Amino acid sequence: MTYFKELLTAFERYAYGQSLHTAFTEMLEWMLLPFKRYDVADEQRKALEKYQSHPKVEHLVKLITLIGELSENFRDPLGELFMQAISNGHNGQYFTPEPICDMMAMMQMGDVGNSRKVNDPACGSGRMLLAAAKLNRSSLLYGADLDITCCKMALLNMLLNSLTGEVAHMNTLSNEFYRGFKVDTVLVDGFHMPYYTEFTQPELSYIWLRPLKVQEVKSKFDNPFEPLRSMQPANGVQGSLF
């Protein structure tokens, strides 16, 4: 865990003077800025200016460098940092250990990773999706979670590993949809550069369950139903099951 102590120390230095949870969510927002796709050039310019002019940009650059290095081989340093520094005092959230995620992915996908689409309806920081990517990184990965912070961690994990799919901020049980993030890559100078687009319309999501279209069925009975009467009278006595 020596690698993680370095990350935790760097994060605490960055978060000095503010709550750890606020600092963590602010860090996620900053890290996502350069990955977002903007349709208007002026919006992209403003986002990059905000990215570069952050008052603690030096600390943030060190953090994202450490997180990027520790994310190799589909690891989850963001989730580990969240559990150790944040969730102890924020709803007590703990994620499935990575070896168990690997085992579950192997059980579901097999050792050759044949599954083309993978869905985790309570994805947390995206560990199950990362475990699936170890077996088949070309799979389309779909994750949903009720906690927006978890959604952004899963989104960043997908972006850092150039994975494709969708992360939805929604209540999977009630199917209430809040926000979605589609993740894709574009080929630039021979490299697959990751990016994401944000949307709020649930109809654009591949995870949100669309309502069934119930067609009106015309009854085949034109006349009221009259029950048939038996030719033999029922004189028997009802028995007991026991």
Side-chain angles (χ1 to χ4, degrees):
M1 297 294 289
T2 305
Y3 74 94
F4 177 73
K5 289 181 179 179
E6 184 180 359
L7 176 60
L8 182 59
T9 300
F11 173 73
E12 289 175 343
R13 287 175 179 170
Y14 154 72
Y16 181 78
Q18 59 186 139
S19 74
L20 294 180
H21 185 264
T22 301
F24 188 83
T25 54
E26 185 184 76
M27 179 189 73
L28 294 179
E29 292 286 352
W30 182 85
M31 289 181 177
L32 286 171
L33 276 174
F35 290 107
K36 187 174 182 179
R37 178 178 176 179
Y38 297 92
D39 295 327
V40 181
D42 190 53
E43 291 181 357
Q44 184 177 17
R45 179 184 58 79
K46 290 180 180 179
L48 290 177
E49 287 179 356
K50 183 178 179 181
Y51 180 81
Q52 296 170 348
S53 60
H54 193 283
K56 296 183 178 180
V57 65
E58 292 183 2
H59 293 285
L60 287 168
V61 168
K62 184 175 182 179
L63 275 172
I64 197 171
T65 301
L66 282 171
I67 290 171
E69 292 173 352
L70 297 173
S71 295
E72 291 194 11
N73 300 319
F74 303 102
R75 296 171 73 179
D76 179 30
L78 277 171
E80 194 68 31
L81 179 61
F82 179 80
M83 287 189 295
Q84 296 288 340
I86 310 300
S87 68
N88 282 332
H90 186 71
N91 298 331
Q93 292 167 289
Y94 294 95
F95 305 130
T96 306
E98 291 181 24
I100 296 180
C101 292
D102 294 339
M103 179 188 70
M104 294 174 67
M106 185 75 72
M107 292 170 64
Q108 293 295 321
M109 300 175 63
D111 57 355
V112 292
N114 290 323
S115 297
R116 179 67 179 135
K117 296 180 180 179
V118 178
N119 179 32
D120 185 353
C123 66
S125 59
R127 289 188 172 187
M128 287 298 302
L129 303 179
L130 293 174
K134 291 179 184 179
L135 300 176
N136 184 1
R137 67 167 297 114
S138 63
S139 295
L140 293 173
L141 307 174
Y142 299 95
D145 204 278
L146 184 59
D147 189 326
I148 185 60
T149 302
C150 289
C151 291
K152 290 179 179 179
M153 281 190 287
L155 176 61
L156 262 173
N157 275 328
M158 291 182 66
L159 291 166
L160 291 173
N161 290 281
S162 297
L163 303 174
T164 56
E166 179 190 335
V167 177
H169 178 212
M170 63 179 291
N171 187 328
T172 303
L173 294 178
S174 66
N175 201 37
E176 189 174 0
F177 187 89
Y178 309 114
R179 197 187 318 178
F181 309 93
K182 288 191 176 180
V183 191
D184 208 341
T185 60
V186 61
L187 195 62
V188 178
D189 297 330
F191 295 94
H192 291 275
M193 303 298 292
Y195 70 91
Y196 77 95
T197 54
E198 186 175 343
F199 61 95
T200 55
Q201 304 93 323
E203 295 80 9
L204 299 178
S205 172
Y206 287 100
I207 305 174
W208 182 72
L209 298 178
R210 289 154 177 76
L212 295 176
K213 295 181 179 179
V214 181
Q215 298 179 351
E216 186 178 351
V217 180
K218 185 178 179 181
S219 175
K220 296 181 180 179
F221 297 100
D222 297 328
N223 299 318
F225 176 73
E226 294 184 4
L228 298 176
R229 297 187 179 278
S230 173
M231 298 298 294
Q232 300 293 331
N235 297 324
V237 178
Q238 183 176 356
S240 172
L241 181 62
F242 303 101

